[in-house]
Amino acid sequence: MADHSLLIEFGDLIDHRIHARVMQLDRALAAHPFTGFVEAVPAYASLLLRFDPLITDHAIAEQAARRLIEDVGATDAGTGLREVRVCYDDEFAPDLEAIAKACSLTTEQVIEAHLSGQYDVFMYGFAPGYAYLAGVPELIRMPRKSAAVRGVSAGSVLIAGQQCLVSTITMPTGWWILGRSPTAILTGDPDKPFLFDVGDRVVFRRITRTEFDAEASQ
């Protein structure tokens, strides 16, 4: 990838085992950086390894990465647990009924299914703080809409296929909107600008409109 990076691919699926290998290498590079290493950017099934071309080259970077991939002892790392509160009231969930109809469920069953999912942060992308979570239960997986909807509010809880995310800015989306969260994803901390780290586990907790308004006003 250009003169300053390598793209290391472990597969082509959204799969927890594949992503575990991505994170193994990401953590190993952080613990054992080679001379000239700049950063690693993990995604669903690949990792972009950036290096300083004035210090090292592709061959040395590849050799270092292959050595770390083979080092199964370099996988230790804790997983953070983050809670995201979400209100599923009609005003915040314009697609809830459509999801229920498409999946032959009641709206309450859709909510229960969403809350039951086991979500992990697989990558960041598209917009600031957009943490892509994998783990939407098969019961409520929906393909992307045929056309994007404009002006979707920040904090909207969105799903498409296996993926879920909480939007951070008002913008168009072709994903399905099933709730809204007052939980701040953009922290304002320059050292840790986003609530999540890639690899974190995320749980959603249902709140009332009163609780939403109280938290959103803080």
Side-chain angles (χ1 to χ4, degrees), residues 16-30:
H16 284 273
R17 289 170 295 181
I18 292 173
H19 193 251
R21 296 189 66 201
V22 173
M23 294 308 299
Q24 170 188 335
L25 179 57
D26 181 56
R27 291 160 179 159
L29 283 164

Side-chain angles (χ1 to χ4, degrees), residues 48-114:
L48 184 70
L49 190 164
R50 293 186 59 237
F51 57 86
D52 185 340
L54 299 179
I55 296 175
T56 190
D57 59 23
H58 291 88
I60 293 173
E62 180 177 346
Q63 183 181 38
R66 288 188 181 279
R67 184 173 63 251
L68 291 173
I69 289 170
E70 293 169 0
D71 182 7
V72 294
T75 62
D76 261 350
T79 297
L81 180 64
R82 304 292 182 181
E83 180 182 88
V84 173
R85 293 165 292 284
V86 54
C87 179
Y88 298 96
D89 282 17
D90 291 346
E91 179 185 352
F92 297 150
D95 294 328
L96 189 55
E97 286 192 11
I99 296 169
K101 183 177 180 180
C103 298
S104 301
L105 301 169
T106 66
T107 55
E108 280 300 314
Q109 288 173 324
V110 172
I111 293 169
E112 290 170 6
H114 181 251

